[in-house]
Amino acid sequence: MARSVAIVGAGQIGYSAWYCLGDMGHNATVHARSKPSWLAGFEDHFRSYRLDTDKAPEAEVVFDTIAFEAEDVERYDPERVGRLILVSSASVYCDAKGRTLDEAAENGFPEFDGPIVETQTTVAAGPETYPTRKIRMEERALELFGDRVTILRPRAIYGAHSRHPREWWFVKRMLDGRPNIALACEGSSRFQTTNANLIGDFVVAAAEEDLGGTYNLADEIAPTVQEVGETIARLLDAKVRFHGFEGFPDHRGGRTPWSVPQPFVIDGGKAAREVGLATIGYDIEAEDAVRWLQSYNPADWRAVFPQLAAYPWNLFDYAAEDKVLAPL
């Protein structure tokens, strides 16, 4: 049965959800500050929405891609929203010593026994950090909506129309004609990837099957950094050589957005089993993201990719990278 769905947010997740829901005949409307280019011709399915001033959307299903704080979910009226689907983050998980991904620079990188499942310990709810605020958001949503809330915990999302396209680290180098690329940690880091279309497909399933609970969403296999680079090079037909070196540098060439000293891999098996989703490898699913970046190729990437620009190191310090490459 077709559902009315309000999608809050117009980035890569909203884009994928819009097309996945539309393909299955659902009536989806995008609520965002400004109409995205990919909605051209579908003006009736766009609503201008400012979080700080406008009334929260009402629909049979609300899919909020940008909720960050408890206050963001408190805006929704449980009497006028049938199911609330929220994008949280796998950053909420902590290891046996309480270490998390987002505080790794201060406390050390978390170490897990294997792929992280939904029952893994999380941080406590609070106002201090990104993961503690996400948990506070999750808990408040559960208080308000009970089993009518669906919480998604992806990691390293990729897809077209991203505002945080990690793939740009490789794509820009290849478009700039860099023949050699240095990779820290021997290029063997594994940092879980999640295709945006997988999220869109799961939203469809959750809406149709009225599915509640908490779910990791992840590609079946977390590729290594070098495998990510090789996939992008193949898609761009770029002739490059990758040079792995030992160590995890903070301020020199070779550190990618996926470079981590220990594997950070999540298990998306629960979602796959419960809704029968087929997960496809990064080497296939990355094409949409890479082709979009290739055609977009922004002159001022910092302006259009602000989350990348906020990284605490220079993503494109070619001079530093050349120094690393020299002895390799």
Side-chain angles (χ1 to χ4, degrees), residues 9-320:
Q12 61 183 340
I13 306 174
Y15 168 76
S16 293
W18 158 261
Y19 279 101
C20 290
L21 287 160
D23 284 347
M24 298 305 294
H26 298 286
N27 181 22
T29 303
V30 176
H31 298 248
R33 281 180 173 268
S34 57
K35 183 172 69 68
S37 60
W38 46 264
L39 262 183
F42 295 93
E43 282 71 18
D44 289 347
H45 291 267
F46 172 74
R47 301 289 183 274
S48 178
Y49 176 60
R50 291 181 177 272
L51 184 66
D52 53 347
T53 59
D54 294 336
K55 182 181 178 182
E58 300 171 353
E60 292 177 277
V61 178
V62 171
F63 176 42
D64 193 325
T65 72
I66 59 174
F68 181 65
E69 292 274 9
E71 292 83 355
D72 296 337
V73 298
E74 288 171 348
R75 293 172 55 81
Y76 296 112
D77 182 351
E79 299 298 321
R80 304 189 69 83
V81 173
R83 172 158 300 281
L84 179 62
I85 306 176
L86 298 169
V87 177
S88 184
S89 170
S91 293
V92 302
Y93 294 116
C94 60
D95 68 7
K97 295 182 179 179
R99 296 175 299 191
T100 67
L101 180 64
D102 285 64
E103 288 78 52
E106 295 80 25
N107 304 322
F109 199 84
E111 297 183 29
F112 300 95
D113 294 333
I116 303 167
V117 296
E118 289 85 352
T119 54
Q120 174 69 35
T121 303
T122 71
V123 297
E128 298 84 8
T129 65
Y130 174 78
T132 63
R133 289 192 288 272
K134 279 288 193 181
I135 286 293
R136 188 166 64 172
M137 177 200 75
E138 291 184 12
E139 292 182 354
R140 186 60 176 142
L142 288 166
E143 291 172 359
L144 292 171
F145 285 85
D147 60 6
R148 291 187 294 118
V149 66
T150 311
I151 295 167
L152 313 182
R153 292 177 179 167
R155 188 61 266 176
I157 304 167
Y158 62 97
H161 301 283
S162 174
R163 297 188 180 98
H164 185 189
R166 294 172 178 84
E167 284 69 22
W168 184 239
W169 193 93
F170 280 112
V171 170
K172 179 171 169 51
R173 280 169 168 75
M174 295 174 192
L175 294 181
D176 287 344
R178 299 280 293 175
N180 296 286
I181 298 177
L183 300 176
C185 304
E186 299 286 359
S188 62
S189 294
R190 290 186 183 273
F191 189 61
Q192 184 67 58
T193 54
T194 302
N195 182 252
N197 288 333
L198 177 64
I199 300 175
D201 287 338
F202 189 84
V203 168
V204 171
E208 293 179 343
E209 300 177 26
D210 209 26
L211 187 67
T214 300
Y215 296 87
N216 290 340
L217 291 182
D219 292 346
E220 185 175 10
I221 297 173
T224 66
V225 166
Q226 181 157 335
E227 288 169 343
V228 170
E230 290 170 347
T231 292
I232 294 172
R234 173 179 56 79
L235 290 170
L236 295 180
D237 194 26
K239 309 304 180 186
V240 298
R241 291 183 62 194
F242 299 103
H243 302 268
F245 63 95
E246 293 183 359
F248 182 69
D250 289 329
H251 302 291
R252 59 191 179 111
R255 184 178 180 183
T256 77
W258 303 268
S259 295
V260 287
Q262 301 288 338
F264 193 92
V265 178
I266 62 176
D267 185 335
K270 176 184 174 184
R273 290 189 301 271
E274 292 198 10
V275 302
L277 287 182
T279 54
I280 304 174
Y282 182 89
D283 59 332
I284 303 299
E285 293 285 22
E287 182 166 6
D288 284 349
V290 173
R291 296 294 183 210
W292 173 71
L293 284 169
Q294 181 184 24
S295 62
Y296 191 12
N297 191 13
D300 185 359
W301 66 267
R302 293 174 181 82
V304 294
F305 304 145
Q307 288 174 284
L308 283 180
Y311 274 47
W313 73 92
N314 185 346
L315 296 178
F316 300 102
D317 188 346
Y318 291 162

